[in-house]
């Protein structure tokens, strides 16, 4: 007979995984193993994608090599012409900022006028 103090303890539930041992899982003697290898469509997909992936990887490598070579050739020119390029870049950035801000102010003014009307 259980005592009163045992009844106040929380019950512990133990969960055990259940495994099935039938022919659908491919286990057991004489079971048919339907998952023996990749399907034909998977093999064709791999055979198609390997050359495409290799070609794209080679093109990425050529692009990276060309970029590095171009940067190596252009760096001395950037250093030589930096007294001209830096002020030109600053002037272009300021002009773009001015055009964008004037457009934003114009849209704000038009929207406020249309709201008032």
């Amino acid at each position: 007979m259980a005592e009163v103090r045992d009844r106040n303890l929380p019950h512990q539930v133990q969960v055990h995984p259940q495994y099935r041992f039938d022919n659908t899982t491919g286990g057991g003697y004489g079971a048919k193993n339907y998952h023996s290898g990749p399907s034909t469509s998977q093999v064709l997909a791999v055979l198609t994608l390997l050359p495409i992936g290799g070609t794209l990887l080679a093109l990425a490598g050529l692009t990276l090599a060309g970029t590095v070579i171009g940067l190596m050739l252009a760096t001395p020119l950037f250093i030589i012409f930096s007294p001209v390029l830096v002020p030109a870049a600053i002037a272009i950035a300021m002009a773009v900022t001015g055009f964008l801000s004037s457009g934003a102010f114009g849209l704000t003014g038009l929207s406020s006028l249309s709201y008032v009307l």
Side-chain angles (χ1 to χ4, degrees), residues 9-107:
L9 295 176
H11 297 288
Q12 295 179 354
V13 178
Q14 296 181 358
V15 179
H16 300 285
Q18 296 180 359
Y19 300 102
R20 294 180 53 166
F21 296 103
D22 54 0
N23 290 339
T24 59
T25 60
Y29 178 72
K32 295 179 182 177
N33 192 359
Y34 294 109
H35 305 289
S36 62
S39 66
T40 307
S41 61
Q42 289 174 338
V43 172
L44 288 176
V46 169
L47 289 177
T48 303
L49 292 176
L50 276 177
I52 294 172
T55 303
L56 290 174
L57 188 62
L59 286 174
L62 287 174
T63 304
L64 178 65
T67 303
V68 169
I69 290 171
L71 188 61
M72 285 174 24
L73 292 176
T75 300
L77 294 175
F78 286 150
I79 291 173
I80 292 171
F81 292 112
S82 63
V84 176
L85 292 176
V86 171
I90 292 172
I92 290 172
M94 289 177 66
V96 168
T97 304
F99 282 123
L100 290 177
S101 62
S102 68
F105 289 146
L107 283 175

